[in-house]
Amino acid sequence: MKKMKSIILFGALLFGIASPVYGNAEELTSTTTSETALNSEMKAAEESTTQPTSEQTSSVGTNSTDKHKTTTASTQESTPKSSAATEKAAPTAAMDHGSQYFTDVSFTDIAGNSLAKVSDSDKIKVHYTFAIPEAVHPNETMTIQLPEQLKLVNYTDFPLMDAAGNIIANASTDAATGLMTLTFTDSVEGKTDINGSLFFWAKFDKTKVTDGANTLAMPVNGATTDVQLTVRKSVGTTTGNNNPTVVFKSGAFDKNDPSIINWTITINNAQQRLIQPQILDTIGPGQTLLTNSFIVNYRDANKKSLKKYSLVPGQDIENSWTKVTQTDTGFQLYLDNLGSASTINNYASAVITYKTKVDASTTRYINGAGTNDEAGQPQNRNASVNVYGSGGSASGTINEAIDQLTDIIDEAESIDETELTPDDAAKLNDEIHKAHEIVDNEEATLEQLDAASDNLEKVIQEVAPSTEQPPVDTKEIEQALKELQAAVDEANNKKAEEYTPESWQPVADAKAQAEKVLKKGQENPANVTLNEVNSAKENLTAAVQKLVKREPPQSNKSLKEALARLEKLLADLNQKVRSLYTEDSWQKVMDLKDEANRLIASGKATLAQVNDLIQRLTAAMSELKLKTTTPNAENTSIPISTPSYISKSPTTSYQSSLPKMGEDKGTALLILGVLAISLATVMIYYKK
C-alpha cells in the first residue's frame, strides 16, 4: 500500500508540471502561424510588384484611340486586410472598387456570336457590362483580374465610355499580372447610376488550358463567375487563325460586271454539331436576287469540296435536304447535317454563293444571314459592300482595322482551294499568312493593318473562281432517263398480289422515287444529274430482281391427304429394327422423323412443307444400309415394337418360330450318351 501511494503521488506531480507547458505550446503555435501568414502576405505583395514581364498580348476596348503601342501600367491588386494592425499600416490610396460594378461577362467571336468551341490558338472577344449605382470619385479604380488561362492580345490604353459617350475612366493593363485597371476621370464627379460596356481581345495560355471543357473564373459583381468554354488543343505550329465562326458572310462586286454583287455565306467553320441547319438571309434595299445563281459547296474538315449543288428556288434535290425557297425579304436555305452530326456524308462546313443585281440607288448595299448554333442560340452576321467614288477608306481606329482584317481573313479561308490553280492557291495562302502576322503583331500600325486588308482583298478578287456554271450537256442524261423509264415500265408490269409483301415494298419505294426523278428530268433534263438518274434505275432494278413469289392457295383436302401420307410413312418407319442398320444411315432417318413430328405437332404445316418432307424421308429410308455381320440379314420385316419371337397367339410357340435343323435326333443321342456314362460308372465301381 505504501508503494502504491508513492506511485500516485509521483503521477500527480508530473501532470502538474506538464499542464502549463502544454497550454503555452498552443499559444506559441497560434502566434507563430499568425506571423507566418502575415509574412507570406507581405511576400506575395512584394512579388506582385517585381514579377517579370511575360509574353505580351492584345487589348481592344470600346471606342479606343488610334495608338497601337505597348503600355505597362504598374498596378498593385488590393488584398483583404487580415487585421486592424494591417489596415493602419497600409498607405493612404484611392479606393479600388474591384469588380463589384461589373454586372455581366461573355465571350464572342468577332461578329458578336456567342462562342461554343474554340481552338487554343484562337482569339476571343471578352465583353463586360457595368452599372455604378452610387457616387464614385476621380482617381478611384475598378479592376479586372484575368484568369490564368487568358492573356491579353495587346496592351493599348483605351477609354471607357458611359451610355452618353462621356469618358468616365481610362483603362490600362499590366503585362506581368494580367490585371486591367480602370481609373475614373473627373466626369464621374457628382454623378450616379453610370452604366455602359467595354470589350477587349484575349488569347489562351496554351499551357493552362486542356482539350475539352475548361472553366474560366471571370471577375464580376465583386466575386468570380465560372464561364464554360470548350477548347480544342491544336497540334504543331499555327499561323494564329482567328476563332472559327458558325456563320460568316461577305460580299464583293463582280470583277466582270460591276452591277452584280457576289455574296458568300460560310457556315460552320466552328465545326459544331449542326443538325439540318437553316439559313435565313435578308437582302437589303437596292438589290434584286438572281435566283439561278445559288451554289452550295459542302466541304470536309480540311475545307476540301465533297459535293456541290446548283440550286433553284422551289426545286428539291433527291436524297438531300438541300434546297432554297424565296421569302418576302430574301430567301431561306436548308442544308444537310454538318460537323459531327454528318456521320454519313462527312460534311463539316458549307460555302453558299449567290448573286444580286444592284440598281445604283445607294452607296452601301447590306445583306444579313442568320442561323442557330449547336446549342440552339441564334447566330447572325451582316455584310456590306460600299461604293467608293475615289480613293479608299480608312478604319479610323486600331480596333476597327483589326476587325476589318480578320473579316477578310475569314473570307479568304472560305475559298475552296481545289478550284484554284496551284499558283493561285499558293498566292492566296501566302497573303493569308501575311495578314495573320499583321493581326498578331502588337506593334502593327493602323496603316499596316489597312494595307494588309487591301492586299488580301486584291488577291481574293484575282484568284476567286468564277461562280458562272458551264452549260450542262444533257445527252447522257436524256439516254439515262430513257433507261430509267424502261425500268419503271418493267416494274409496272409486276402485280403486287403475286409477290410477298416483304419483297414488294422495296419495289414500291424504288419505283416512287424513280418516277419522281423522271418527272423532273422530263420537265428539263438539266434539273437532274446523271448520277441521280442512274442511281434511281439501279435501285429499282435491284429491288425487282429480289421479288419473291407468293405460294398458290392450298386446299384443305390436299393438305390432309399429304399429312396422311406422311403419317403412313412414319408408321412404316416404326417397323424397322434399328440394330440392323448402320448408325449414319439410321441417324439421317431419325432426324427427318423428328422434323416431321414437329411439323405435324405445330398445326401450321403447308402443303409444300409436307410434300417436301415426304420426298426427303422416302429417299432416306431407301438409303438405309444393313450391317454386314448381322445373321438372317434377309429378314428386314421384323417390327420394332413387337419382335417375332414374342407371340401373342396361344397356338404359336418359340420352337415353331425356329427353322427345322434336326433337333429331334439330337435329343435321342443325348439320352443314349447319358445312359452310357452311367453304366460305365457302375462297372468301374464294382470292379474296384
Side-chain angles (χ1 to χ4, degrees):
M1 176 64 71
K2 184 176 182 180
K3 185 177 181 179
M4 180 64 69
K5 288 181 180 180
S6 299
I7 292 173
I8 293 172
L9 182 60
F10 177 75
L13 178 61
L14 182 62
F15 179 77
I17 295 171
S19 294
V21 173
Y22 177 77
N24 291 337
E26 277 191 330
E27 184 177 349
L28 179 61
T29 302
S30 176
T31 303
T32 304
T33 302
S34 176
E35 290 176 355
T36 302
L38 182 58
N39 290 337
S40 298
E41 184 177 332
M42 294 175 65
K43 183 178 180 181
E46 291 175 1
E47 289 178 350
S48 69
T49 59
T50 59
Q51 192 175 17
T53 301
S54 61
E55 181 185 353
Q56 293 183 344
T57 52
S58 93
S59 158
V60 180
T62 305
N63 295 325
S64 64
T65 60
D66 291 351
K67 55 186 177 179
H68 191 58
K69 63 184 180 180
T70 302
T71 304
T72 304
S74 294
T75 57
Q76 183 171 347
E77 192 173 0
S78 61
T79 56
K81 283 40 174 200
S82 59
S83 66
T86 305
E87 288 185 3
K88 291 179 181 179
T92 303
M95 180 180 294
D96 177 22
H97 298 279
S99 65
Q100 65 173 313
Y101 297 136
F102 293 107
T103 56
D104 187 44
V105 62
S106 62
F107 300 151
T108 73
D109 61 19
I110 191 171
N113 300 319
S114 298
L115 293 178
K117 294 179 181 177
V118 295
S119 170
D120 63 356
S121 60
D122 294 334
K123 302 178 183 65
I124 64 174
K125 214 171 187 178
V126 182
H127 295 257
Y128 267 101
T129 58
F130 62 87
I132 307 174
E134 57 191 9
V136 291
H137 305 287
N139 295 323
E140 293 181 349
T141 59
M142 297 189 296
T143 52
I144 299 172
Q145 178 64 60
L146 290 183
E148 63 176 1
Q149 299 99 322
L150 291 181
K151 300 189 293 185
L152 294 172
V153 176
N154 63 47
Y155 305 104
T156 304
D157 294 350
F158 61 90
L160 185 65
M161 305 278 194
D162 64 9
N166 300 310
I167 298 177
I168 66 164
N170 288 305
S172 60
T173 55
D174 189 335
T177 64
L179 183 70
M180 180 178 294
T181 302
L182 300 103
T183 305
F184 291 116
T185 68
D186 294 339
S187 297
V188 301
E189 198 66 70
K191 294 181 180 179
T192 56
D193 294 329
I194 302 170
N195 58 78
S197 64
L198 71 119
F199 75 86
F200 53 87
W201 286 93
K203 62 184 179 182
F204 295 104
D205 183 340
K206 295 184 180 182
T207 65
K208 303 295 185 182
V209 292
T210 59
D211 190 64
N214 287 260
T215 301
L216 282 67
M218 301 299 296
V220 68
N221 290 321
T224 58
T225 184
D226 289 341
V227 180
Q228 300 293 328
L229 200 60
T230 299
V231 179
R232 294 188 301 270
K233 294 284 285 183
S234 57
V235 179
T237 59
T238 176
T239 58
N241 291 335
N242 307 296
N243 58 287
T245 56
V246 175
V247 62
F248 172 79
K249 186 167 187 180
S250 64
F253 283 110
D254 192 283
K255 54 188 175 183
N256 298 319
D257 186 350
S259 68
I260 291 177
I261 298 178
N262 297 318
W263 298 99
T264 300
I265 302 172
T266 305
I267 183 168
N268 207 32
N269 273 344
Q271 299 287 296
Q272 292 192 12
R273 177 181 175 82
L274 302 185
I275 300 176
Q276 294 183 342
Q278 301 179 28
I279 298 174
L280 185 62
D281 193 281
T282 303
I283 297 175
Q287 303 171 79
T288 302
L289 176 65
L290 300 182
T291 57
N292 62 345
S293 63
F294 284 97
I295 297 175
V296 175
N297 183 19
Y298 288 107
R299 310 182 304 178
D300 63 15
N302 296 319
K303 299 184 178 178
K304 302 300 182 183
S305 178
L306 292 176
K307 189 76 174 179
K308 184 176 288 189
Y309 294 113
S310 296
L311 299 182
V312 176
Q315 291 187 0
D316 295 337
I317 295 178
E318 287 300 322
N319 302 319
S320 176
W321 181 247
T322 311
K323 64 179 180 179
V324 62
T325 59
Q326 280 190 269
T327 65
D328 293 339
T329 57
F331 61 85
Q332 186 155 6
L333 186 67
Y334 302 81
L335 298 176
D336 282 338
N337 294 341
L338 296 176
S340 57
S342 178
T343 56
I344 298 176
N345 296 322
N346 294 317
Y347 296 158
S349 62
V351 177
I352 300 96
T353 59
Y354 69 95
K355 301 173 184 289
T356 59
K357 193 170 184 65
V358 299
D359 59 10
S361 62
T362 181
T363 59
R364 182 178 177 84
Y365 298 98
I366 302 174
N367 277 4
T371 188
N372 289 340
D373 62 16
E374 64 183 0
Q377 297 299 313
Q379 304 292 320
N380 300 290
R381 191 64 183 262
N382 291 325
S384 61
V385 177
N386 297 323
V387 180
Y388 299 110
S390 61
S393 65
S395 304
T397 69
I398 289 289
N399 302 321
E400 291 173 3
I402 292 174
D403 285 358
Q404 178 181 342
L405 181 53
T406 51
D407 270 357
I408 298 171
I409 291 173
D410 204 349
E411 178 185 356
E413 291 179 339
S414 297
I415 295 175
D416 182 6
E417 292 184 14
T418 60
E419 296 188 351
L420 305 181
T421 66
D423 289 343
D424 283 349
K427 184 176 182 180
L428 179 65
N429 284 322
D430 182 57
E431 204 62 42
I432 291 173
H433 180 73
K434 291 178 182 178
H436 276 306
E437 289 181 335
I438 293 295
V439 169
D440 292 339
N441 181 9
E442 297 159 8
E443 302 292 336
T445 64
L446 180 60
E447 290 74 18
Q448 289 174 316
L449 290 164
D450 286 339
S453 295
D454 292 342
N455 293 338
L456 185 54
E457 272 191 327
K458 183 179 179 181
V459 171
I460 291 173
Q461 290 293 320
E462 291 175 357
V463 306
S466 172
T467 56
E468 296 293 337
Q469 293 298 297
V472 179
D473 185 1
T474 61
K475 289 182 180 180
E476 284 187 280
I477 296 176
E478 291 170 359
Q479 179 59 36
L481 286 169
K482 290 179 182 179
E483 295 174 3
L484 179 59
Q485 181 66 66
V488 171
D489 292 341
E490 181 186 354
N492 285 333
N493 290 330
K494 306 291 183 182
K495 295 181 179 179
E497 60 270 15
E498 296 180 359
Y499 302 94
T500 62
E502 296 79 10
S503 66
W504 181 257
Q505 189 58 49
V507 174
D509 294 341
K511 187 174 73 169
Q513 183 165 335
E515 289 172 341
K516 197 171 182 180
V517 173
L518 271 176
K519 183 179 179 181
K520 286 172 59 179
Q522 288 166 352
E523 291 174 355
N524 183 358
N527 290 341
V528 293
T529 65
L530 182 62
N531 182 60
E532 187 178 1
V533 178
N534 286 337
S535 294
K537 182 191 69 174
E538 291 168 4
N539 292 339
L540 180 56
T541 302
V544 169
Q545 291 174 348
K546 294 178 182 178
L547 281 171
V548 178
K549 281 274 191 179
R550 288 177 184 263
E551 290 185 0
Q554 59 188 26
S555 66
N556 290 333
K557 182 180 179 181
S558 299
L559 179 60
K560 288 181 180 178
E561 291 174 352
L563 286 171
R565 291 198 303 273
L566 180 59
E567 290 172 350
K568 174 65 169 59
L569 192 60
L570 292 174
D572 292 343
L573 177 59
N574 287 335
Q575 299 301 312
K576 303 290 184 183
V577 179
R578 178 172 185 169
S579 61
L580 300 178
Y581 303 100
T582 62
E583 186 65 26
D584 291 343
S585 65
W586 184 260
Q587 187 59 47
K588 183 177 180 181
V589 173
M590 289 296 101
D591 290 342
L592 289 171
K593 176 185 174 183
D594 292 342
E595 184 180 347
N597 285 331
R598 287 195 300 270
L599 183 63
I600 294 171
S602 70
K604 298 179 181 180
T606 65
L607 181 60
Q609 290 173 320
V610 175
N611 286 335
D612 177 63
L613 259 176
I614 290 174
Q615 183 179 359
R616 289 188 288 137
L617 186 56
T618 300
M621 289 173 65
S622 68
E623 294 172 358
L624 281 171
K625 296 179 181 179
L626 293 168
K627 294 180 180 179
T628 56
T629 58
T630 302
N632 305 325
E634 68 276 11
N635 184 8
T636 60
S637 62
I638 303 174
I640 296 174
S641 57
T642 309
S644 59
Y645 53 84
I646 302 177
S647 174
K648 297 181 181 179
S649 172
T651 61
T652 305
S653 67
Y654 170 66
Q655 290 83 0
S656 65
S657 66
L658 296 173
K660 299 298 182 180
M661 299 182 66
E663 63 274 18
D664 293 338
K665 293 180 179 181
T667 303
L669 291 173
L670 179 61
I671 294 172
L672 290 174
V674 171
L675 290 174
I677 294 171
S678 299
L679 181 59
T681 303
V682 170
M683 291 176 67
I684 293 170
Y685 176 79
Y686 282 107
K687 186 176 180 179
K688 289 182 178 181

